[in-house]
Amino acid sequence: DISKMLENTVQKQINPKNWLIAIGTENYDNTDAIKFSKNTTNTFIQVAQKTLGITSRNTYALIEDKSTTGAIKDNLELLIRNIKEGDTIYFYYSGHGIPNPKEDGEPYILPKDKIVDFVTKDKEFMVRNIYKQLSDSKASKVVAFMDSCFSGSTDGVSNIKGVAATTMKSKKVEFNKDKMVVITAGTNNQFSNVYSEKGHRLFSYFLTKAILERPNLDIDSMYKDVALKVKDESFKMGDMKVQEPQLEGNNKIDF
C-alpha cells in the first residue's frame, strides 16, 4: 500500500534548501540482521524526496554496503560542508542502537562493519555527537527520525554479549531543542519492532504512511498520529513488544 500511495503522490516542487541523510543497515557484518531495514530506508528516501522536494544530489543515501564506518563519517562531513544558512536537514536512521553499559547507557548507532563491542570507542557514532554535528551546522532547522531502539536489542534479541534483552536502558540524549526535533521509534528501554506483514519496520511504516496521507501535516500532529498507530499495532504483538514513539525538541518546527 505504501508503494501505491507513493506512485499516486504528486512530486512537490524542488527545494534546494532541503537536504536528507539516510542511514539504513539490514545485514551487519558482525551481528544479527534487522529485518526489512533496507526496504524501509529506501522507501523513506523516496517518500522524502517526493513530498519534501529533495533532489538526489541533496540526498546522502547510506544503505547496506554504503553504511560503513568510513562512509558515515565522510558523508556526514560532506553534508555539513554543503549546508548554507536557512537550509533544513532531514536525518533518518534505521539500524542497531547500542547503549554503552560503561557510560550509563550512552547510545551509539552501529555502522555495518563495526563490531558491537568496539563501537563505543568511536565517539563519532555517539548519538549526542551526531545530533550536535547536525545542529551546529549552518542549517536553520534539523528534523531527525530514529527507527532504532537503544536498549541493546532488536526484535527481542540482545546485541550485547552477557546482557539479556530488555535489561538495558539508554541514557537520555541532550541536544539543541530550539533548532532540532527528534522522533524516535520508542522509549529508551523498548524494542523497535518489525512489521512483517507489510515488509517494513513498524515505526517507519506508519511514519511514511502518515507523510504520504497528509504531506502538509505539522510535525506535532504527525507524531501523535504515528505514535498512536505504532502503539496500537505493537500491543497486538504482546505486552513485551509494546512500542511508544517519542518526540523531543521543537515540535513547532515546520515539517
Side-chain angles (χ1 to χ4, degrees):
D1 53 343
I2 295 290
S3 296
K4 290 180 181 178
M5 291 174 67
L6 182 60
E7 186 177 338
N8 294 326
T9 298
V10 177
Q11 172 68 52
K12 189 171 182 179
Q13 183 177 351
I14 296 301
N15 187 343
K17 290 185 172 294
N18 286 349
W19 298 79
L20 169 66
I21 181 163
I23 304 168
T25 309
E26 182 165 338
N27 298 294
Y28 281 86
D29 294 349
N30 301 293
T31 192
D32 296 317
I34 297 184
K35 294 178 182 177
F36 304 122
S37 184
K38 179 180 178 181
N39 184 43
T40 277
T41 307
N42 274 319
T43 300
F44 182 84
I45 291 170
Q46 293 172 50
V47 170
Q49 288 179 335
K50 202 163 190 181
T51 61
L52 300 171
I54 304 174
T55 64
S56 295
R57 176 62 187 88
N58 282 24
T59 301
Y60 290 83
L62 307 177
I63 304 172
E64 289 295 270
D65 291 341
K66 293 183 179 180
S67 62
T68 60
T69 299
I72 293 173
K73 289 181 183 179
D74 291 349
N75 281 274
L76 272 169
E77 188 172 338
L78 285 170
L79 169 71
I80 300 303
R81 184 185 298 177
N82 287 322
I83 296 298
K84 298 180 179 66
E85 298 287 346
D87 288 357
T88 298
I89 298 174
Y90 295 93
F91 178 84
Y92 174 86
Y93 178 71
S94 176
H96 283 305
I98 307 298
N100 186 357
K102 296 180 180 179
E103 295 180 292
D104 296 324
E106 186 75 55
Y108 291 70
I109 67 169
L110 184 68
K112 174 182 170 59
D113 58 338
K114 202 75 174 174
I115 296 173
V116 172
D117 300 47
F118 301 143
V119 69
T120 55
K121 296 179 182 293
D122 207 332
K123 301 305 179 185
E124 284 95 339
F125 300 116
M126 187 186 290
V127 172
R128 73 171 63 246
N129 286 341
I130 292 174
Y131 288 177
K132 187 175 189 305
Q133 190 175 357
L134 295 171
S135 61
D136 281 353
S137 71
K138 294 179 181 178
S140 295
K141 55 186 177 180
V142 180
V143 181
F145 301 102
M146 301 292 286
D147 196 344
S148 176
C149 67
F150 291 93
S151 60
S153 55
T154 300
D155 297 333
V157 179
S158 178
N159 302 313
I160 304 174
K161 293 178 182 177
V163 178
T166 76
T167 62
M168 286 292 295
K169 183 176 182 179
S170 67
K171 186 177 182 179
K172 185 177 179 66
V173 177
E174 298 298 330
F175 59 91
N176 184 336
K177 293 181 179 177
D178 292 323
K179 189 176 181 177
M180 187 171 180
V181 61
V182 179
I183 299 180
T184 58
T187 66
N188 60 356
N189 65 344
Q190 291 180 334
F191 297 138
S192 170
N193 292 301
V194 63
Y195 198 9
S196 297
E197 301 94 305
K198 301 294 185 179
H200 284 276
R201 304 302 301 174
L202 181 65
F203 169 70
S204 288
Y205 172 79
F206 285 110
L207 173 64
T208 51
K209 192 171 184 181
I211 295 171
L212 288 169
E213 285 178 337
R214 291 183 284 173
N216 296 317
L217 198 62
D218 64 87
I219 197 79
D220 195 51
S221 298
M222 177 199 299
Y223 160 70
K224 290 174 181 176
D225 177 71
V226 173
L228 178 62
K229 290 175 180 175
V230 169
K231 183 179 180 181
D232 285 349
E233 193 61 38
S234 65
F235 178 79
K236 298 174 186 176
M237 300 176 181
D239 289 326
M240 300 306 294
K241 292 283 190 177
V242 173
Q243 183 178 335
E244 300 163 292
Q246 302 293 300
L247 182 150
E248 285 194 84
N250 188 352
N251 64 350
K252 302 302 182 184
I253 285 178
D254 292 334
F255 181 66

